[in-house]
Amino acid sequence: MNYERAKAYLSKRGQQHLLDYYDELSATDKETLLNDIENTNFSVLAHVGQKPKKLGKITPVNAVTSSDIKRRYSQFESVGLDFLSEGKVAAVLLAGGQGSRLGFKGPKGMFNIGVNRFLSIFEQQMNNIAEVNAKTGRHFHLFIMTSRANNDETIKFFKENDYFGYPRDRIHFYIQDVAPTCDYSGKVFLDEKHRVSLAPNGNGGWYSSLVNSGLARIMERDGIEWLNVYSVDNVLQRICDPAFIGATIIKRCGCGAKVVKKVCADEKVGVLCNEDGKPAIMEYYEMPEDLKNKTKKGELVYCYGVTLNYLFNVHELNSTLSGRLPYHVADKAIPHIENGVRVTPEKPCGYKLETLVVDMVKMMGSCLAYEVERDREFAPVKNATGTDSVETARALLEQNGVIL
Ligand code: UTP
Protein backbone atom coordinates (compact mmCIF):
# COMPACT_ATOMS: atom_id res chain seq x y z
CA MET A 1 0.00 0.00 0.00
CA ASN A 2 1.43 3.43 -0.90
CA TYR A 3 0.76 6.72 0.90
CA GLU A 4 -2.07 7.86 -1.40
CA ARG A 5 -3.91 4.56 -1.11
CA ALA A 6 -3.43 4.49 2.66
CA LYS A 7 -4.84 8.01 2.93
CA ALA A 8 -7.96 7.12 0.95
CA TYR A 9 -8.35 3.81 2.81
CA LEU A 10 -8.11 5.51 6.22
CA SER A 11 -10.36 8.45 5.30
CA LYS A 12 -13.14 6.01 4.45
CA ARG A 13 -12.79 4.60 7.96
CA GLY A 14 -12.35 7.88 9.83
CA GLN A 15 -8.76 6.94 10.79
CA GLN A 16 -6.68 9.40 8.73
CA HIS A 17 -4.99 10.74 11.90
CA LEU A 18 -2.75 7.64 11.73
CA LEU A 19 -0.77 9.50 9.02
CA ASP A 20 -0.33 12.68 11.09
CA TYR A 21 3.42 12.15 11.54
CA TYR A 22 4.11 10.51 8.19
CA ASP A 23 6.19 13.40 6.84
CA GLU A 24 8.55 13.23 9.85
CA LEU A 25 9.36 9.54 9.36
CA SER A 26 12.41 7.91 7.80
CA ALA A 27 11.87 5.85 4.64
CA THR A 28 11.97 2.57 6.61
CA ASP A 29 9.53 3.84 9.23
CA LYS A 30 7.17 5.05 6.51
CA GLU A 31 7.16 1.55 5.07
CA THR A 32 6.54 0.00 8.53
CA LEU A 33 3.58 2.28 9.12
CA LEU A 34 2.03 1.57 5.72
CA ASN A 35 2.45 -2.17 6.37
CA ASP A 36 0.79 -1.84 9.77
CA ILE A 37 -2.14 0.01 8.21
CA GLU A 38 -2.52 -2.64 5.54
CA ASN A 39 -2.46 -5.47 8.10
CA THR A 40 -4.78 -3.94 10.70
CA ASN A 41 -8.28 -5.28 10.99
CA PHE A 42 -10.27 -2.04 11.29
CA SER A 43 -13.62 -3.81 11.02
CA VAL A 44 -13.49 -4.82 14.72
CA LEU A 45 -13.93 -1.13 15.62
CA ALA A 46 -17.59 -1.49 14.73
CA HIS A 47 -17.99 -2.98 18.22
CA VAL A 48 -17.05 0.26 19.95
CA GLY A 49 -20.11 2.01 21.34
CA GLN A 50 -22.43 -0.93 20.69
CA LYS A 51 -24.94 -1.65 23.38
CA PRO A 52 -24.47 -5.08 25.07
CA LYS A 53 -26.82 -7.71 23.69
CA LYS A 54 -29.96 -8.27 25.76
CA LEU A 55 -29.83 -11.44 27.84
CA GLY A 56 -32.04 -14.28 26.67
CA LYS A 57 -33.91 -16.63 28.98
CA ILE A 58 -31.43 -17.80 31.58
CA THR A 59 -31.81 -21.18 33.26
CA PRO A 60 -29.42 -23.17 35.48
CA VAL A 61 -27.36 -26.12 34.19
CA ASN A 62 -27.31 -29.64 35.51
CA ALA A 63 -23.75 -30.55 36.30
CA VAL A 64 -22.01 -33.86 36.68
CA THR A 65 -21.31 -33.22 40.36
CA SER A 66 -18.16 -34.21 42.20
CA SER A 67 -20.07 -37.00 43.93
CA ASP A 68 -21.35 -38.31 40.55
CA ILE A 69 -17.74 -38.25 39.37
CA LYS A 70 -16.52 -40.24 42.38
CA ARG A 71 -19.17 -42.87 41.73
CA ARG A 72 -18.44 -43.24 38.02
CA TYR A 73 -14.76 -42.37 38.08
CA SER A 74 -13.34 -45.59 36.68
CA GLN A 75 -15.83 -45.62 33.78
CA PHE A 76 -15.08 -41.98 32.88
CA GLU A 77 -11.35 -42.45 33.30
CA SER A 78 -11.15 -45.55 31.18
CA VAL A 79 -12.84 -43.89 28.17
CA GLY A 80 -10.60 -40.82 28.54
CA LEU A 81 -7.46 -42.94 28.77
CA ASP A 82 -8.45 -44.81 25.61
CA PHE A 83 -8.79 -41.54 23.67
CA LEU A 84 -5.51 -40.25 25.06
CA SER A 85 -3.69 -43.50 24.30
CA GLU A 86 -4.92 -43.31 20.72
CA GLY A 87 -3.54 -39.74 20.44
CA LYS A 88 -6.98 -38.23 19.86
CA VAL A 89 -6.62 -35.49 22.48
CA ALA A 90 -4.23 -32.51 22.60
CA ALA A 91 -3.90 -29.54 24.92
CA VAL A 92 -3.75 -25.80 24.29
CA LEU A 93 -2.16 -23.51 26.84
CA LEU A 94 -3.41 -19.93 26.71
CA ALA A 95 -0.34 -17.88 27.52
CA GLY A 96 -0.92 -14.78 25.41
CA GLY A 97 -2.36 -12.59 28.18
CA GLN A 98 -0.69 -9.49 29.54
CA GLY A 99 -1.10 -10.40 33.22
CA SER A 100 -1.49 -6.73 34.11
CA ARG A 101 -3.16 -7.40 37.50
CA LEU A 102 -0.22 -9.49 38.69
CA GLY A 103 2.14 -6.70 37.69
CA PHE A 104 4.93 -9.10 36.69
CA LYS A 105 7.12 -8.04 33.81
CA GLY A 106 7.42 -10.96 31.42
CA PRO A 107 5.27 -13.97 30.57
CA LYS A 108 3.04 -14.95 33.53
CA GLY A 109 4.14 -18.58 33.24
CA MET A 110 7.67 -17.54 34.21
CA PHE A 111 6.48 -16.16 37.53
CA ASN A 112 8.13 -17.89 40.50
CA ILE A 113 5.45 -19.55 42.57
CA GLY A 114 8.10 -21.28 44.73
CA VAL A 115 9.23 -20.08 48.15
CA ASN A 116 12.47 -21.87 49.01
CA ARG A 117 13.18 -22.94 45.45
CA PHE A 118 12.46 -21.57 41.99
CA LEU A 119 9.27 -23.09 40.63
CA SER A 120 7.79 -21.32 37.64
CA ILE A 121 4.07 -21.57 36.89
CA PHE A 122 5.01 -23.24 33.59
CA GLU A 123 7.01 -25.91 35.42
CA GLN A 124 4.26 -26.52 37.95
CA GLN A 125 1.75 -27.06 35.15
CA MET A 126 4.14 -29.32 33.23
CA ASN A 127 4.52 -31.43 36.39
CA ASN A 128 0.74 -31.86 36.47
CA ILE A 129 0.82 -33.03 32.86
CA ALA A 130 3.48 -35.65 33.62
CA GLU A 131 1.02 -37.60 35.80
CA VAL A 132 -1.36 -38.15 32.87
CA ASN A 133 1.33 -39.12 30.40
CA ALA A 134 2.71 -41.64 32.87
CA LYS A 135 -0.67 -43.41 32.76
CA THR A 136 -0.91 -43.55 28.95
CA GLY A 137 2.76 -44.01 28.15
CA ARG A 138 2.67 -41.31 25.46
CA HIS A 139 2.88 -37.53 25.29
CA PHE A 140 -0.06 -35.64 23.88
CA HIS A 141 0.61 -32.64 21.62
CA LEU A 142 0.81 -29.40 23.54
CA PHE A 143 0.06 -26.17 21.65
CA ILE A 144 1.17 -23.02 23.44
CA MET A 145 -0.40 -19.72 22.44
CA THR A 146 1.83 -16.73 23.12
CA SER A 147 1.57 -13.07 22.14
CA ARG A 148 3.84 -10.95 19.93
CA ALA A 149 5.14 -9.36 23.13
CA ASN A 150 6.00 -12.53 25.05
CA ASN A 151 6.63 -15.15 22.36
CA ASP A 152 10.44 -15.00 22.19
CA GLU A 153 10.88 -14.92 25.96
CA THR A 154 8.48 -17.84 26.43
CA ILE A 155 10.23 -20.00 23.84
CA LYS A 156 13.65 -19.12 25.32
CA PHE A 157 12.47 -20.09 28.80
CA PHE A 158 11.16 -23.47 27.65
CA LYS A 159 14.40 -24.11 25.78
CA GLU A 160 16.58 -23.15 28.76
CA ASN A 161 14.55 -25.54 30.90
CA ASP A 162 14.87 -28.34 28.36
CA TYR A 163 11.10 -28.19 27.76
CA PHE A 164 10.61 -29.52 31.29
CA GLY A 165 11.42 -33.02 30.05
CA TYR A 166 8.67 -32.94 27.39
CA PRO A 167 9.59 -34.21 23.90
CA ARG A 168 10.43 -31.15 21.77
CA ASP A 169 8.46 -32.40 18.79
CA ARG A 170 5.27 -32.49 20.86
CA ILE A 171 5.37 -28.81 21.86
CA HIS A 172 4.22 -26.20 19.34
CA PHE A 173 4.28 -22.47 19.97
CA TYR A 174 2.12 -20.04 18.04
CA ILE A 175 1.42 -16.35 18.30
CA GLN A 176 -2.07 -15.06 18.82
CA ASP A 177 -3.62 -12.57 16.42
CA VAL A 178 -3.95 -8.91 17.33
CA ALA A 179 -6.60 -6.21 17.18
CA PRO A 180 -6.16 -2.41 17.17
CA THR A 181 -6.61 -0.40 20.36
CA CYS A 182 -8.48 2.89 20.28
CA ASP A 183 -9.71 5.86 22.27
CA TYR A 184 -13.27 6.09 23.57
CA SER A 185 -14.52 7.46 20.25
CA GLY A 186 -13.06 4.59 18.24
CA LYS A 187 -9.97 6.43 16.89
CA VAL A 188 -7.10 3.94 16.65
CA PHE A 189 -4.04 4.79 18.75
CA LEU A 190 -0.52 5.07 17.42
CA ASP A 191 1.91 3.16 19.63
CA GLU A 192 4.81 5.02 18.05
CA LYS A 193 4.67 7.61 15.31
CA HIS A 194 5.31 4.79 12.84
CA ARG A 195 3.43 1.94 14.58
CA VAL A 196 -0.28 1.28 14.90
CA SER A 197 -1.17 0.24 18.47
CA LEU A 198 -2.11 -3.43 18.42
CA ALA A 199 -2.87 -5.75 21.35
CA PRO A 200 -3.63 -9.50 21.66
CA ASN A 201 -7.22 -10.05 20.52
CA GLY A 202 -8.39 -11.82 23.69
CA ASN A 203 -8.38 -15.47 24.68
CA GLY A 204 -11.25 -16.25 22.27
CA GLY A 205 -8.74 -15.90 19.44
CA TRP A 206 -7.00 -19.15 20.38
CA TYR A 207 -8.59 -21.43 17.78
CA SER A 208 -8.57 -19.11 14.76
CA SER A 209 -4.97 -18.15 15.60
CA LEU A 210 -4.05 -21.85 15.82
CA VAL A 211 -5.56 -22.45 12.40
CA ASN A 212 -4.00 -19.28 10.93
CA SER A 213 -0.60 -20.39 12.22
CA GLY A 214 -0.78 -23.53 10.08
CA LEU A 215 -0.65 -25.89 13.06
CA ALA A 216 -4.02 -27.39 12.24
CA ARG A 217 -2.10 -29.65 9.82
CA ILE A 218 -0.68 -31.50 12.85
CA MET A 219 -4.18 -32.05 14.16
CA GLU A 220 -5.32 -33.40 10.81
CA ARG A 221 -2.20 -35.54 10.35
CA ASP A 222 -2.47 -37.12 13.80
CA GLY A 223 -6.24 -37.41 14.00
CA ILE A 224 -6.74 -35.08 16.98
CA GLU A 225 -10.45 -34.97 17.83
CA TRP A 226 -10.47 -33.06 21.12
CA LEU A 227 -8.62 -30.03 22.44
CA ASN A 228 -8.27 -29.29 26.14
CA VAL A 229 -7.82 -25.53 26.51
CA TYR A 230 -6.50 -24.14 29.78
CA SER A 231 -5.23 -20.92 31.26
CA VAL A 232 -1.70 -20.26 32.42
CA ASP A 233 -2.76 -18.85 35.75
CA ASN A 234 -4.25 -21.84 37.56
CA VAL A 235 -1.36 -23.67 39.22
CA LEU A 236 -3.55 -26.64 40.22
CA GLN A 237 -4.77 -27.06 36.67
CA ARG A 238 -5.32 -30.72 35.76
CA ILE A 239 -4.60 -30.91 32.05
CA CYS A 240 -6.06 -33.61 29.78
CA ASP A 241 -7.73 -35.13 32.82
CA PRO A 242 -8.86 -38.56 31.55
CA ALA A 243 -12.08 -38.64 33.62
CA PHE A 244 -13.12 -35.19 32.34
CA ILE A 245 -12.47 -36.29 28.77
CA GLY A 246 -14.35 -39.57 29.29
CA ALA A 247 -17.36 -37.88 30.91
CA THR A 248 -17.70 -35.32 28.08
CA ILE A 249 -17.54 -38.08 25.47
CA ILE A 250 -19.93 -40.43 27.31
CA LYS A 251 -22.42 -37.58 27.77
CA ARG A 252 -22.15 -36.83 24.02
CA CYS A 253 -21.36 -33.16 24.52
CA GLY A 254 -19.55 -30.95 22.00
CA CYS A 255 -17.63 -29.36 24.81
CA GLY A 256 -17.01 -29.68 28.52
CA ALA A 257 -16.18 -27.09 31.17
CA LYS A 258 -14.52 -27.75 34.49
CA VAL A 259 -16.51 -25.81 37.04
CA VAL A 260 -16.29 -25.20 40.77
CA LYS A 261 -19.04 -24.37 43.24
CA LYS A 262 -18.88 -20.63 43.86
CA VAL A 263 -17.86 -19.69 47.39
CA CYS A 264 -20.33 -16.79 47.50
CA ALA A 265 -22.77 -14.95 45.23
CA ASP A 266 -20.25 -12.18 44.54
CA GLU A 267 -17.28 -14.33 43.63
CA LYS A 268 -15.67 -12.90 40.48
CA VAL A 269 -15.97 -15.88 38.16
CA GLY A 270 -18.05 -16.45 35.04
CA VAL A 271 -21.06 -18.70 35.64
CA LEU A 272 -22.07 -21.57 33.40
CA CYS A 273 -25.80 -21.48 32.63
CA ASN A 274 -28.17 -21.93 29.71
CA GLU A 275 -29.35 -19.00 27.62
CA ASP A 276 -32.40 -19.75 25.48
CA GLY A 277 -31.68 -23.43 26.02
CA LYS A 278 -28.04 -23.24 24.82
CA PRO A 279 -24.92 -23.32 27.00
CA ALA A 280 -23.69 -19.88 27.93
CA ILE A 281 -21.31 -18.27 30.37
CA MET A 282 -22.34 -15.12 32.14
CA GLU A 283 -19.41 -12.98 33.23
CA TYR A 284 -19.69 -11.85 36.85
CA TYR A 285 -19.87 -8.18 35.83
CA GLU A 286 -22.83 -8.74 33.51
CA MET A 287 -24.87 -11.01 35.80
CA PRO A 288 -28.08 -9.38 37.06
CA GLU A 289 -28.23 -9.14 40.89
CA ASP A 290 -31.43 -11.21 41.17
CA LEU A 291 -29.85 -14.14 39.30
CA LYS A 292 -26.58 -13.80 41.17
CA ASN A 293 -28.29 -14.03 44.56
CA LYS A 294 -31.04 -16.53 43.67
CA THR A 295 -31.10 -19.50 46.04
CA LYS A 296 -33.02 -22.74 46.36
CA LYS A 297 -32.98 -24.68 49.65
CA GLY A 298 -30.24 -22.33 50.86
CA GLU A 299 -27.94 -23.03 47.86
CA LEU A 300 -27.09 -20.66 45.00
CA VAL A 301 -29.02 -21.64 41.87
CA TYR A 302 -26.32 -20.26 39.55
CA CYS A 303 -23.49 -21.80 41.47
CA TYR A 304 -21.09 -23.21 38.87
CA GLY A 305 -18.10 -20.98 38.21
CA VAL A 306 -15.89 -21.72 35.21
CA THR A 307 -12.17 -22.35 35.77
CA LEU A 308 -10.92 -21.76 32.21
CA ASN A 309 -10.38 -25.43 31.55
CA TYR A 310 -12.49 -26.55 28.59
CA LEU A 311 -12.61 -29.53 26.31
CA PHE A 312 -13.68 -28.80 22.75
CA ASN A 313 -14.57 -31.19 19.97
CA VAL A 314 -12.47 -30.21 16.94
CA HIS A 315 -15.17 -31.02 14.42
CA GLU A 316 -17.62 -28.70 16.19
CA LEU A 317 -14.95 -26.06 16.62
CA ASN A 318 -14.43 -25.94 12.88
CA SER A 319 -18.04 -24.97 12.47
CA THR A 320 -17.52 -22.02 14.85
CA LEU A 321 -14.82 -20.66 12.55
CA SER A 322 -17.39 -19.67 9.99
CA GLY A 323 -19.38 -17.82 12.68
CA ARG A 324 -18.18 -14.55 14.13
CA LEU A 325 -17.11 -14.28 17.71
CA PRO A 326 -18.29 -10.99 19.19
CA TYR A 327 -15.64 -8.52 20.33
CA HIS A 328 -15.81 -7.12 23.84
CA VAL A 329 -14.40 -3.71 24.67
CA ALA A 330 -12.13 -3.69 27.70
CA ASP A 331 -11.36 -0.33 29.29
CA LYS A 332 -7.56 -0.21 29.75
CA ALA A 333 -4.57 2.06 30.27
CA ILE A 334 -2.90 2.03 26.85
CA PRO A 335 0.41 3.76 26.04
CA HIS A 336 0.04 5.86 22.89
CA ILE A 337 1.16 8.96 20.98
CA GLU A 338 -0.60 12.14 22.05
CA ASN A 339 0.28 15.53 20.51
CA GLY A 340 3.47 14.03 19.13
CA VAL A 341 4.67 12.56 22.43
CA ARG A 342 4.40 8.98 23.71
CA VAL A 343 2.37 8.87 26.94
CA THR A 344 1.98 5.94 29.36
CA PRO A 345 -1.26 6.61 31.25
CA GLU A 346 -1.82 5.01 34.64
CA LYS A 347 -5.58 5.13 34.32
CA PRO A 348 -7.73 3.61 31.57
CA CYS A 349 -7.81 5.86 28.51
CA GLY A 350 -9.30 3.69 25.79
CA TYR A 351 -10.31 0.26 24.63
CA LYS A 352 -8.70 -3.05 23.84
CA LEU A 353 -10.90 -5.24 21.67
CA GLU A 354 -11.08 -8.83 22.80
CA THR A 355 -12.83 -12.01 21.89
CA LEU A 356 -13.51 -14.38 24.78
CA VAL A 357 -13.29 -18.14 24.99
CA VAL A 358 -16.61 -18.09 26.86
CA ASP A 359 -18.33 -16.98 23.65
CA MET A 360 -17.02 -20.08 21.89
CA VAL A 361 -18.91 -22.20 24.41
CA LYS A 362 -22.10 -20.44 23.32
CA MET A 363 -21.42 -21.49 19.75
CA MET A 364 -21.22 -25.17 20.68
CA GLY A 365 -24.43 -27.15 20.77
CA SER A 366 -23.91 -28.58 24.25
CA CYS A 367 -21.54 -28.19 27.16
CA LEU A 368 -21.01 -30.57 30.05
CA ALA A 369 -20.57 -28.87 33.40
CA TYR A 370 -18.05 -31.06 35.22
CA GLU A 371 -17.73 -30.12 38.88
CA VAL A 372 -14.27 -30.44 40.37
CA GLU A 373 -13.17 -29.93 43.96
CA ARG A 374 -11.86 -26.41 44.12
CA ASP A 375 -9.24 -27.08 46.79
CA ARG A 376 -7.69 -29.71 44.52
CA GLU A 377 -8.01 -28.01 41.13
CA PHE A 378 -8.50 -24.27 41.36
CA ALA A 379 -5.71 -21.97 42.44
CA PRO A 380 -5.69 -18.96 40.10
CA VAL A 381 -2.85 -16.45 40.25
CA LYS A 382 -4.51 -13.22 39.14
CA ASN A 383 -3.29 -10.68 41.68
CA ALA A 384 -0.12 -10.10 43.66
CA THR A 385 -1.99 -10.13 46.98
CA GLY A 386 -5.51 -10.73 48.32
CA THR A 387 -8.08 -12.86 46.50
CA ASP A 388 -6.84 -15.24 43.78
CA SER A 389 -3.29 -14.20 44.44
CA VAL A 390 0.21 -15.53 44.76
CA GLU A 391 -0.43 -16.07 48.51
CA THR A 392 -3.67 -18.03 48.07
CA ALA A 393 -2.20 -20.14 45.27
CA ARG A 394 0.90 -21.00 47.33
CA ALA A 395 -1.26 -22.07 50.28
CA LEU A 396 -3.32 -24.33 48.00
CA LEU A 397 -0.24 -25.84 46.39
CA GLU A 398 1.15 -26.72 49.82
CA GLN A 399 -2.20 -28.17 50.84
CA ASN A 400 -1.87 -30.44 47.79
CA GLY A 401 1.57 -31.64 48.80
CA VAL A 402 3.69 -29.49 46.47
CA ILE A 403 6.98 -28.55 48.14
CA LEU A 404 7.63 -24.88 47.61
P1 UTP B 1 -7.05 -13.07 31.88
O1 UTP B 1 -8.43 -12.82 31.48
O2 UTP B 1 -6.77 -13.23 33.35
O3 UTP B 1 -6.12 -11.91 31.27
O4 UTP B 1 -6.53 -14.33 31.10
P2 UTP B 1 -4.58 -11.58 31.46
O5 UTP B 1 -4.22 -10.69 30.32
O6 UTP B 1 -3.72 -12.82 31.61
O7 UTP B 1 -4.49 -10.82 32.86
P3 UTP B 1 -4.96 -9.34 33.28
O8 UTP B 1 -6.44 -9.30 33.07
O9 UTP B 1 -4.21 -8.38 32.38
O10 UTP B 1 -4.54 -9.26 34.71
C1 UTP B 1 -7.01 -15.63 31.28
C2 UTP B 1 -6.18 -16.55 30.41
O11 UTP B 1 -6.30 -16.18 29.04
C3 UTP B 1 -5.02 -15.92 28.49
C4 UTP B 1 -4.13 -15.57 29.67
O12 UTP B 1 -2.77 -15.79 29.35
C5 UTP B 1 -4.68 -16.50 30.72
O13 UTP B 1 -4.18 -17.81 30.55
N1 UTP B 1 -5.14 -14.82 27.50
C6 UTP B 1 -5.79 -13.67 27.82
C7 UTP B 1 -4.57 -14.98 26.27
O14 UTP B 1 -3.95 -16.03 25.98
N2 UTP B 1 -4.70 -13.97 25.37
C8 UTP B 1 -5.35 -12.81 25.65
O15 UTP B 1 -5.42 -11.92 24.77
C9 UTP B 1 -5.92 -12.66 26.91
Side-chain angles (χ1 to χ4, degrees), residues 36-106:
D36 270 9
I37 292 168
E38 186 162 16
N39 294 320
T40 297
N41 177 3
F42 290 98
S43 68
V44 298
L45 296 160
H47 297 267
V48 174
Q50 268 183 7
K51 286 210 175 106
K53 211 176 89 313
K54 266 184 108 185
L55 277 186
K57 186 172 166 14
I58 303 294
T59 48
V61 286
N62 287 323
V64 176
T65 63
S66 50
S67 48
D68 295 334
I69 295 165
K70 273 194 194 116
R71 234 176 341 102
R72 297 182 64 182
Y73 192 83
S74 54
Q75 186 202 8
F76 290 160
E77 187 190 37
S78 128
V79 172
L81 285 175
D82 283 351
F83 271 69
L84 281 161
S85 304
E86 289 163 17
K88 291 181 177 164
V89 190
V92 182
L93 166 58
L94 304 181
Q98 293 179 312
S100 47
R101 282 171 285 174
L102 182 62
F104 172 66
K105 281 200 171 39

Side-chain angles (χ1 to χ4, degrees), residues 6-51:
K7 201 171 152 193
Y9 179 78
L10 292 173
S11 309
K12 259 198 211 155
R13 293 164 176 81
Q15 304 290 347
Q16 57 277 32
H17 62 281
L18 293 175
L19 291 169
D20 278 358
Y21 307 100
Y22 188 81
D23 291 342
E24 299 174 24
L25 303 178
S26 67
T28 328
D29 286 353
K30 280 180 177 159
E31 202 179 317
T32 307
L33 179 61
L34 294 176
N35 268 336
D36 270 9
I37 292 168
E38 186 162 16
N39 294 320
T40 297
N41 177 3
F42 290 98
S43 68
V44 298
L45 296 160
H47 297 267
V48 174
Q50 268 183 7
K51 286 210 175 106

Side-chain angles (χ1 to χ4, degrees), residues 180-231:
T181 71
C182 63
D183 69 11
Y184 294 127
S185 63
K187 298 272 181 235
V188 171
F189 282 132
L190 277 172
D191 184 40
E192 301 283 350
K193 288 181 179 175
H194 67 296
R195 298 296 330 229
V196 174
S197 170
L198 300 166
N201 65 348
N203 59 26
W206 71 271
Y207 191 59
S208 52
S209 300
L210 180 71
V211 171
N212 293 342
S213 73
L215 287 172
R217 71 174 191 283
I218 293 176
M219 298 201 292
E220 280 157 28
R221 185 195 69 196
D222 290 6
I224 294 166
E225 295 176 8
W226 294 89
L227 289 173
N228 181 203
V229 182
Y230 64 100
S231 65

